[in-house]
Amino acid sequence: AGSSSRGIEYLGVRQLSEVLDLMRQAEFLLFPSEWYETMGRTIMEAFAVGTPVVASKLGPPASMVVHGTNGYHFEPGNVAQLRDRVEWCSRNLAEVRSLRTNARRAFEIEYSGPANLEKLINIYREARQSSPSRKAQTSVAQP
């Protein structure tokens, strides 16, 4: 069961499909981490449903969110800047909504299955081309 506190409703554990539906309905996702995250799965999920993200300008989330294109940044730990960014987004919903297409496009280009398959294939190609045994084969003089 959920509980509420100062305008925040805690929904508890939900199925991924329900989480994605809730993200789809949100005007934007707030990702206020002060830690170096390894990868922002939550950001990828928001982008998958076309929801812009307001994220700390720190680590991988900072590179995933392109300020003014698919979301906005704020300096980690700067509560005043975070508040100002959220208030600005809340007052400028038309501008925030205009980022939805870019958020979805970021998912398709960077994080979708086909995009990741292509990246993986390229990694294997590069590994094959730079492997020591392959270099030895190509550097042997031909008679």
Side-chain angles (χ1 to χ4, degrees), residues 8-19:
I8 298 172
E9 182 181 358
Y10 295 96
L11 301 176
V13 177
R14 302 292 176 169
Q15 295 293 320
L16 179 59
S17 60
E18 186 178 357
V19 171

Side-chain angles (χ1 to χ4, degrees), residues 131-142:
S131 73
S133 63
R134 186 154 178 96
K135 286 181 181 177
Q137 291 172 357
T138 57
S139 63
V140 174
Q142 299 294 325

Side-chain angles (χ1 to χ4, degrees), residues 8-9 16 18 22 29 36 51 61 76 86 104 129:
I8 298 172
E9 182 181 358
L16 179 59
E18 186 178 357
L22 290 166
L29 174 88
Y36 284 93
T51 300
V86 169
R104 176 62 190 173
Q129 291 172 353

Side-chain angles (χ1 to χ4, degrees), residues 48-61:
V49 295
T51 300
V53 176
V54 175
S56 302
K57 191 173 183 180
L58 180 71

Side-chain angles (χ1 to χ4, degrees), residues 63-100:
S63 64
M64 296 170 76
V65 175
V66 179
H67 189 81
T69 300
N70 58 17
Y72 300 99
H73 293 134
F74 64 92
E75 292 300 320
N78 187 331
V79 175
Q81 191 179 51
L82 167 60
R83 184 190 63 238
D84 289 346
R85 183 70 66 211
V86 169
E87 288 176 354
W88 183 90
C89 288
S90 297
R91 286 190 313 270
N92 295 279
L93 291 176
E95 190 166 338
V96 173
R97 288 176 186 144
S98 73
L99 305 182
R100 294 185 83 84

Side-chain angles (χ1 to χ4, degrees), residues 44 107-121:
M44 284 188 279
F107 174 79
E108 292 169 357
I109 292 169
E110 295 293 329
Y111 310 111
S112 67
N116 277 278
L117 176 60
E118 184 63 30
K119 288 178 186 181
L120 183 60
I121 289 170

